[in-house]
Amino acid sequence: MPQRPDTPVTEARIADVAVDTRHWIGGRRVASTYTFPDVSPIDGRTLAQIARGGPAEAKAAVAAAKAAFPGWAATSRAERARILHAIADGVEKRLEELAIVETTDNGALLRSHRRGVIPRAAHNFRFFADWLLTLGHEDFTTYAGGSAAGPGHTNHVSWDPAGPCVLITPWNAPLMLATWKVAPALAAGDTVILKPAEWSPLTASLLADIAAEAGLPAGVLNVVQGYGAEIGDDLTSHPDVRRISFTGSVPTARRIAASAAQNLTPLSLELGGKSPLLVFADADLELAVDLAVEQFDNAGQVCLAATRILVEESIADEFTHRFVAKASRLKQGDPREETTDLGPTIHPRQTERIDGFVRRAIAAGARAVFGGGSHPQLGGLYYRPTLLTDVAQDSEVVQEEVFGPVLTLQTFADEAEAIRLANNTRFGLAATVATGDHQRAERVTAQLVAGTVWVNCFFVRDLRAPFGGSRLSGVGREGGTWSFDFYCDLKNSVTAPRGFNDHG
Ligand code: NAD
């Protein structure tokens, strides 16, 4: 139910952290007529009422980003880099607060937030600040025969800021994914309208405070809150928006692409996956089992998760036996506790969706050799890590993204079959190969359809590398130079060899 502001709760209090839950537009907090409740998946507690933006807030945020653009675009690279490092300092200074707020809001492990996810958010700013300073301009002179006007013209290629960017993020790694977009956009000299997911809106609000404290001018970063269906279209169809970067699901991506088509606004889409883990008989079995169990991280709510385990027939029994032994030791519970391995899923709707996949798979003949259903004591949102066998390649649970702690296990007879099964979905985000044979690793990697392939490892992300997916897993690549390719307008200026009055 929409909440009227006469019972306004425009602040979330989590431990000692206060989060202002209004929008951040043009350097000031802005309320909405309506609010919506933000509920913690840990215990179902309502954390706050969040400003519920719509068309008016979308227009105001784009207007603020447009007004701030000329000033920020003209700011020197050195100064932009300095402010980005100051934002990173602010994230690091408030690491503990951000980690607690994020865990309370989305239920992912506190220890992961403390040690990996929030530090990475700070690193996103440092990385793109440094990369900005090394980004070269390219100059070259036209060669004889290369131009009708003759040789000697100078071409100068520059990376120009593009304009206001709409950045839309999901709930599974809110601050990390937001900063992965915000940092390169700001570095490029663009201004930003960030729209975080409605199930985990809080750290985006804190990021606005941190950026302001770091000296980011008003209007350069705007944060609007609300349901995607209510505010999204006014953001993505706005003619003053020059880029849209979206991370989320395929159905939403389709809606955004249709909306962006009105102005042909360039899109970067980082979407879902159904990634395979290929385990060959020559692999280090213990390592392969570790890689498989790791897929339960963040209760399986990870786009890159290798949710389809493909094992060579000859080792399938031994693999399954060791997998079950290892997965049985995972501790499920409160994500704020240091010893917890799996927290809750984000929302009752998500849990129902996950359970629906499992029920339908079992009805179609699958066998849950491990898990299936919610935890008997914790109940509700605490879905047990699950392994399904006897699944058909064309079945729903093998073809569709579950986005929960549910893995399938299939076997293959030889390398060719492994590759055929691995590539046989509509996705192409990532793949993991476990093998002890270097040549096999190269052969298989070359044939896999995936934006990222890991060999005997998982989730290693170097920010210089291109990141993105093929097929339904996305459009475009971000990371390193690829981010600047996206967030900049490349301009080539050609100067004649003579003609200036000063002969300069
Ligand atoms: P979602 O598509 O439901 O929502 C993502 C965002 O889009 C939210 O902020 C939502 O409010 C917004 N939105 C919804 N409708 C909109 C509209 N019409 N216009 C504009 N914005 C709209 O996704 P989710 O459930 O939040 O996230 C889970 C999905 O994200 C999974 O499919 C997962 O694989 C994917 N994901 C991908 C990556 C990646 O890098 N490839 C990373 C994390 C998550």
Side-chain angles (χ1 to χ4, degrees):
M1 278 291 286
Q3 307 286 316
R4 280 226 156 260
D6 34 337
T7 51
V9 189
T10 53
E11 189 181 273
R13 284 224 146 250
I14 295 165
D16 290 330
V17 192
V19 187
D20 193 316
T21 61
R22 293 172 294 177
H23 313 284
W24 176 253
I25 299 174
R28 58 186 195 90
R29 291 285 167 191
V30 176
S32 277
T33 310
Y34 294 103
T35 61
F36 66 95
D38 179 30
V39 175
S40 174
I42 301 176
D43 49 15
R45 182 167 62 103
T46 298
L47 299 170
Q49 298 296 336
I50 313 290
R52 183 171 164 179
E57 289 83 358
K59 283 191 186 76
V62 176
K66 186 182 179 186
F69 175 67
W72 183 243
T75 302
S76 72
R77 286 184 177 195
E79 177 62 3
R80 293 204 303 256
R82 188 190 67 73
I83 294 179
L84 260 66
H85 276 294
I87 298 175
D89 292 343
V91 171
E92 282 165 0
K93 207 168 90 198
R94 298 181 70 172
L95 189 150
E96 184 62 16
E97 292 174 38
L98 289 162
I100 288 171
V101 170
E102 198 84 295
T103 289
T104 312
D105 208 11
N106 86 337
L109 297 185
L110 182 57
R111 67 175 146 91
S112 304
H113 283 142
R114 276 186 180 137
R115 286 175 215 148
V117 182
I118 307 297
R120 194 14 232 290
H123 182 65
N124 283 338
F125 285 103
R126 297 207 189 285
F127 173 84
F128 285 107
D130 292 344
W131 196 268
L132 168 68
L133 297 179
T134 64
L135 196 64
H137 293 278
E138 199 178 342
D139 289 308
F140 51 93
T141 308
T142 47
Y143 53 88
S147 152
H153 290 68
T154 305
N155 287 260
H156 176 75
V157 180
S158 58
W159 303 74
D160 291 0
C165 301
V166 164
L167 310 178
I168 303 176
T169 49
W171 44 263
N172 62 326
L175 189 67
M176 203 266 278
L177 290 171
T179 54
W180 163 247
K181 298 178 188 301
V182 170
L186 296 184
D190 296 338
T191 52
V192 164
I193 304 104
L194 170 65
K195 197 332 241 149
E198 48 271 47
W199 284 349
S200 57
L202 297 181
T203 48
S205 233
L206 290 174
L207 180 65
D209 294 339
I210 291 169
E213 282 159 22
L216 192 72
V220 175
L221 169 65
N222 305 277
V223 178
V224 289
Q225 304 281 6
Y227 293 121
E230 294 179 353
I231 192 171
D233 195 48
D234 287 277
L235 292 172
T236 53
S237 66
H238 200 297
D240 291 331
V241 169
R242 298 286 172 250
R243 295 288 186 276
I244 299 166
S245 178
F246 168 75
T247 299
S249 65
V250 173
T252 307
R254 288 197 177 104
R255 279 194 285 276
I256 290 175
S259 177
Q262 296 173 51
N263 303 299
L264 298 179
T265 310
L267 282 171
S268 171
L269 302 174
E270 298 185 348
L271 311 178
K274 196 71 198 177
S275 302
L277 162 61
L278 294 78
V279 182
F280 289 93
D282 57 24
D284 173 337
L285 197 55
E286 215 38 50
L287 170 73
V289 169
D290 284 349
L291 290 173
V293 173
E294 202 179 329
Q295 308 309 320
F296 291 132
D297 276 4
N298 203 5
Q301 302 166 122
V302 176
C303 58
L304 294 162
T307 49
R308 293 186 296 133
I309 304 177
L310 308 174
V311 188
E312 193 156 349
E313 272 163 14
S314 58
I315 57 160
D317 287 347
E318 178 64 12
F319 177 91
T320 309
H321 175 74
R322 291 203 202 185
F323 176 92
V324 170
K326 183 138 204 145
S328 312
R329 293 198 290 275
L330 292 174
K331 188 180 159 214
Q332 203 160 8
D334 189 325
R336 293 165 296 196
E337 285 171 16
E338 184 68 20
T339 55
T340 298
D341 297 305
L342 254 90
T345 50
I346 182 82
H347 193 274
R349 274 219 308 273
Q350 186 66 11
T351 319
E352 274 168 35
R353 187 171 177 274
I354 295 166
D355 198 46
F357 275 107
V358 172
R359 296 291 128 228
R360 290 190 295 277
I362 289 171
R367 203 161 58 88
V369 290
F370 191 73
S374 289
H375 191 284
Q377 278 88 47
L378 301 166
L381 269 56
Y382 291 81
Y383 206 84
R384 290 166 71 206
T386 296
L387 180 68
L388 299 174
T389 59
D390 302 304
V391 288
Q393 180 62 26
D394 62 356
S395 64
E396 179 196 53
V397 76
V398 169
Q399 291 292 328
E400 300 295 327
E401 184 185 48
V402 176
F403 220 55
V406 178
L407 309 180
T408 57
L409 187 143
Q410 296 167 274
T411 60
F412 59 83
D414 55 22
E415 201 175 290
E417 188 181 17
I419 292 163
R420 191 172 53 71
L421 292 174
N423 286 338
N424 186 335
T425 73
R426 294 183 305 160
F427 294 98
L429 190 54
T432 302
V433 182
T435 175
D437 180 337
H438 187 262
Q439 286 180 338
R440 187 201 294 280
E442 286 187 0
R443 256 191 333 264
V444 172
T445 299
Q447 294 174 77
L448 289 171
V449 180
T452 303
V453 178
W454 287 290
V455 178
N456 294 329
C457 60
F458 176 67
F459 218 76
V460 180
R461 288 278 314 276
D462 186 316
L463 300 192
R464 290 168 296 183
F467 177 79
S470 306
R471 300 175 175 168
L472 284 188
S473 289
V475 173
R477 296 289 184 271
E478 294 192 39
T481 305
W482 290 274
S483 289
F484 287 100
D485 264 351
F486 177 70
Y487 289 109
C488 292
D489 277 334
L490 283 172
K491 181 195 286 161
N492 184 35
S493 44
V494 185
T495 306
R498 65 179 82 81
F500 292 115
N501 291 336
D502 59 3
H503 305 290

